Amino acid sequence: MPLDLILLGPPGAGKGTQAKILSQRLGIPHVASGDLFRDHLHRQTPLGQLARQYMDRGELVPDDVTIGMIRERLEQADCRNGVILDGFPRTPAQAQALDELLAGMGRSLAAVLYIRVRNELLLRRLAGRWTCRVCGAVYHIEFNPPRVPGRCDLDGGPLYQREDDTEEVQRRRIQVYQEQTAPLVSFYRERGLLVEIDGECSIPEVTEELIRAIEVRKAVDP
Ligand code: AP5
């Protein structure tokens, strides 16, 4: 059975950081709606130009656009054994659409891993984030610095700060998360899919907690 997982949590919780590690460990792709939008933006596609209007303000891109993009991605061959979804779903309509999409493929969610981090830590994490322009690896100036300042450990690529990481937009993203995405926590808890993870530990500790939680879920529902 494919292993379909969601990483849920506020901006800066560590979803992208952990999804990249889990993808390596579990051998399934990391599908991040934010990364897909940024790729469109970089290629200057019409979808990218549309998404930019929302991303620059920290608002959500409309559901129909986002769902269409994820549908296309999930239909690709590398997703057949499962996916680690990061940043999707973010609204009840997206959660509903995901259920339908997976059901249409004869699949269902294995677990929703909710990474909990207090608001006061989120801004500190986002303010210090640097990302590799080449491979997308994520660093933190204080918590996870690169070996050589400004260069990626993996490929030496230049590190940059995301355009939506100004303090004003970060605050708005956290607010939008509270208003529109946080309700998914109880939605998935009621369905018995939610596993809460303490996101305030070190990066390796969070990874081990996630792996343990996934193993437990796999044992319950092989
Ligand atoms: P998106 O790219 O998804 O951004 P986000 O949700 O705001 O999440 P982030 O990427 O900021 O945080 P993260 O949890 O991945 O943290 P990270 O691992 O980098 O979305 C961007 C925009 O796209 C949205 O605003 C919206 O406009 C649009 N969009 C995307 N999806 C959409 C959807 N489904 N619907 C509609 N619109 C959508 O970690 C952060 C920092 O902390 C890093 O520096 C990292 O090194 C550090 N760190 C991580 N873990 C730890 C730890 N345990 N200890 C110390 N430091 C840590």
Side-chain angles (χ1 to χ4, degrees):
M1 185 71 174
L3 184 63
D4 293 313
L5 301 165
I6 293 176
L7 289 188
L8 183 65
K15 304 181 298 295
T17 300
Q18 295 298 335
K20 286 181 182 62
I21 302 170
L22 291 179
S23 171
Q24 292 279 330
R25 298 258 302 247
L26 303 171
I28 50 178
H30 165 206
V31 172
S33 41
D35 289 350
L36 293 174
F37 284 132
R38 278 184 288 279
D39 179 54
H40 275 278
L41 242 151
H42 187 66
R43 290 187 285 120
Q44 299 189 343
T45 67
L47 173 55
Q49 275 152 14
L50 175 91
R52 161 163 263 151
Q53 298 166 30
Y54 297 91
M55 295 173 81
D56 282 353
R57 288 183 284 122
E59 304 292 337
L60 296 185
V61 179
D63 281 338
D64 55 338
V65 176
T66 307
I67 292 164
M69 180 181 73
I70 291 289
R71 178 184 299 116
E72 224 173 80
R73 181 66 188 91
L74 293 186
E75 283 168 359
Q76 289 172 9
D78 65 327
C79 294
R80 66 181 174 277
N81 293 328
V83 284
I84 302 166
L85 287 164
D86 156 17
F88 183 92
R90 252 175 158 100
T91 63
Q94 291 182 15
Q96 177 70 32
L98 176 64
D99 271 353
E100 288 166 13
L101 242 150
L102 290 176
M105 299 166 133
R107 290 157 61 166
S108 61
L109 283 170
V112 177
L113 303 154
Y114 168 42
I115 306 182
R116 261 186 299 110
V117 176
R118 278 166 303 155
N119 274 2
E120 48 267 40
L121 245 181
L122 297 175
L123 283 174
R124 204 166 142 204
R125 288 205 183 164
L126 293 172
R129 170 167 60 192
W130 288 82
T131 305
C132 175
R133 182 73 74 189
V134 178
C135 71
V138 179
Y139 297 89
H140 191 281
I141 205 75
E142 188 185 342
F143 304 131
N144 180 28
R147 283 194 293 269
V148 178
R151 291 279 155 193
C152 178
D153 290 354
L154 305 176
D155 54 27
L159 304 184
Y160 78 103
Q161 287 198 290
R162 271 171 42 178
E163 280 180 26
D164 61 347
D165 268 347
T166 61
E167 193 179 333
E168 189 191 346
V169 180
Q170 287 165 359
R171 286 187 189 280
R172 181 62 191 144
R173 276 164 41 218
I174 293 170
Q175 191 183 9
V176 166
Y177 169 83
Q178 297 298 351
E179 291 166 2
Q180 302 192 47
T181 308
L184 295 184
V185 170
S186 42
F187 173 80
Y188 285 120
R189 185 182 288 125
E190 279 158 23
R191 298 174 58 194
L193 285 169
L194 196 84
V195 185
E196 295 199 32
I197 305 289
D198 178 3
E200 297 191 6
C201 306
S202 70
I203 293 172
E205 285 168 336
V206 175
T207 305
E208 290 319 311
E209 211 189 321
L210 286 163
I211 293 282
R212 271 197 301 276
I214 294 165
E215 292 304 330
V216 169
R217 293 297 309 192
K218 276 165 64 180
V220 171
D221 191 8

